Amino acid sequence: MGDNALMSDVLELVDVSVVRDGRALVDHVSWSVAEGQRWVILGPNGAGKTTLLNVASSYLFPTSGTVSVLGEKLGGVDVFDLRPRIGMAGAAMAEKMPRRQTVLETVLTAAYGMTATWNEGYEKVDEDRARAFLDRLGMSDFLDRRFGTLSEGERKRTLIARAMMSDPELLLLDEPAAGLDLGGREDLVRRLGRLARDPIAPAMIMVTHHVEEIAPGFTHVLMIRQGKVVAAGPIETELTSRNLSLCFGLPLVVERRGDRFTAAGLPLS
Ligand SMILES: Nc1ncnc2c1ncn2[C@@H]1O[C@H](COP(=O)(O)OP(=O)(O)OP(=O)(O)O)[C@@H](O)[C@H]1O
Ligand SMILES: [Mg+2]
């Protein structure tokens, strides 16, 4: 795409499919994310959301179609140059983190693109940055706690701070609120909302199953079902009862209350 306006695209998928064992996990998806947009990906279990994030993070090369991430075409660029520009936090990441490492170390190691090795050469400036991100996620009281002893919510917040550490241009969050209690979810939604509305924050893509987890400041929604796009566009126009029902395969009513959403099945009558 090179020298035209599309250069400002954070992500551009054209007719992308990921096929495994003869089945399309991602099925002819075309989707683009422009700078400044914050996307939510909604879809039922097995819809292909995580697979799509893995493509966006450059960790998974599609079976067909073309992918550009941060202006670089996958296949035409060394992914090792691209990956540090992308921050990712998800369940798969939590499993890779050494459980004995402290919270501060867990965030600090991201600056060096490592998941494990503790290196004594960290600079003061990196440590200050790590502390600042942890503070922003409400984790200041946990700096010396071992990662393995954290609750689910504390773990999620640590990993989001970690994803921010490399100063990414694209932040990918896979179900950041899964497993949190109501208070934990509301706290995280508030923090993500603050981040989403920060004009200098990176482009964001968040996967979720629940419209209740959409933070104010998120602008667009991609709905997928069985690997295919059901709807894509601004939340105001696309997050409708009709689209959500098609996406999850049952009759649903979505309601907006202020800048938040709720969804439920149709009442029996
Ligand atoms: N390497 C693989 N080989 C075969 N099938 C796979 C592979 N990876 C994922 N799948 C299948 O692809 C489908 C999509 O998986 P994916 O993890 O992307 O779904 P998801 O939308 O993230 O679901 P969830 O909401 O449960 O996290 C699932 O049916 C899964 O079993
Ligand atoms: Mg998933």
Side-chain angles (χ1 to χ4, degrees), residues 240-254:
T240 60
S241 298
R242 182 175 182 278
N243 284 343
L244 202 69
S245 302
L246 285 171
C247 183
F248 284 90
L250 74 165
L252 293 166
V253 178
V254 58

Side-chain angles (χ1 to χ4, degrees), residues 135-150:
D135 184 48
R136 206 159 156 187
L137 272 303
M139 288 298 293
S140 285
D141 293 340
F142 296 82
L143 298 180
D144 297 322
R145 273 279 289 283
R146 298 201 186 284
F147 186 75
T149 69
L150 297 176

Side-chain angles (χ1 to χ4, degrees), residues 37-247:
Q37 296 180 345
R38 282 89 173 83
W39 283 75
V40 176
I41 301 180
L42 276 172
N45 288 127
K49 303 179 298 298
T50 298
T51 306
L52 205 55
L53 272 199
N54 288 337
V55 171
S57 67
S58 85
Y59 277 84
L60 182 66
F61 197 80
T63 312
S64 61
T66 57
V67 180
S68 300
V69 187
L70 300 170
E72 308 284 359
K73 193 169 165 181
L74 288 197
V77 65
D78 189 343
V79 289
F80 294 100
D81 293 334
L82 193 54
R83 284 178 188 163
R85 300 170 62 196
I86 303 163
M88 175 110 163
M93 199 56 113
E95 283 156 27
K96 281 187 216 133
M97 291 299 142
R99 296 174 54 86
R100 296 182 57 81
Q101 205 167 251
T102 69
V103 165
L104 184 61
E105 286 164 358
T106 301
V107 175
L108 256 176
T109 52
Y112 300 82
M114 297 178 295
T115 49
T117 339
W118 171 245
N119 179 327
E120 291 184 351
Y122 293 118
E123 306 206 5
K124 174 84 168 69
V125 53
D126 292 324
E127 192 173 319
D128 289 346
R129 272 165 52 76
R131 285 173 187 275
F133 288 126
L134 282 163
D135 184 48
R136 206 159 156 187
L137 272 303
M139 288 298 293
S140 285
D141 293 340
F142 296 82
L143 298 180
D144 297 322
R145 273 279 289 283
R146 298 201 186 284
F147 186 75
T149 69
L150 297 176
S151 80
E152 196 60 37
E154 291 155 3
R155 233 172 258 204
K156 302 240 159 175
R157 287 179 355 230
T158 302
L159 290 179
I160 295 171
R162 182 176 201 278
M164 299 288 295
M165 189 63 191
S166 61
D167 201 10
E169 293 159 69
L170 173 60
L171 183 61
L172 305 173
L173 304 171
D174 197 355
E175 296 186 39
L180 303 192
D181 69 19
L182 199 48
R185 178 190 86 187
E186 287 305 300
D187 178 69
L188 188 67
V189 166
R190 194 164 41 83
R191 290 175 197 280
L192 290 179
R194 225 179 273 153
L195 198 59
R197 280 175 303 214
D198 181 345
I200 65 160
M204 292 168 69
I205 302 173
M206 178 188 79
V207 168
T208 179
H209 296 123
H210 303 291
V211 299
E212 289 78 3
E213 294 172 2
I214 300 176
F218 276 77
T219 59
H220 289 69
V221 64
L222 176 76
M223 291 189 214
I224 58 171
R225 175 176 179 77
Q226 293 173 354
K228 293 190 184 70
V229 175
V230 172
I235 286 177
E236 297 96 84
T237 57
E238 299 305 315
L239 189 54
T240 60
S241 298
R242 182 175 182 278
N243 284 343
L244 202 69
S245 302
L246 285 171
C247 183

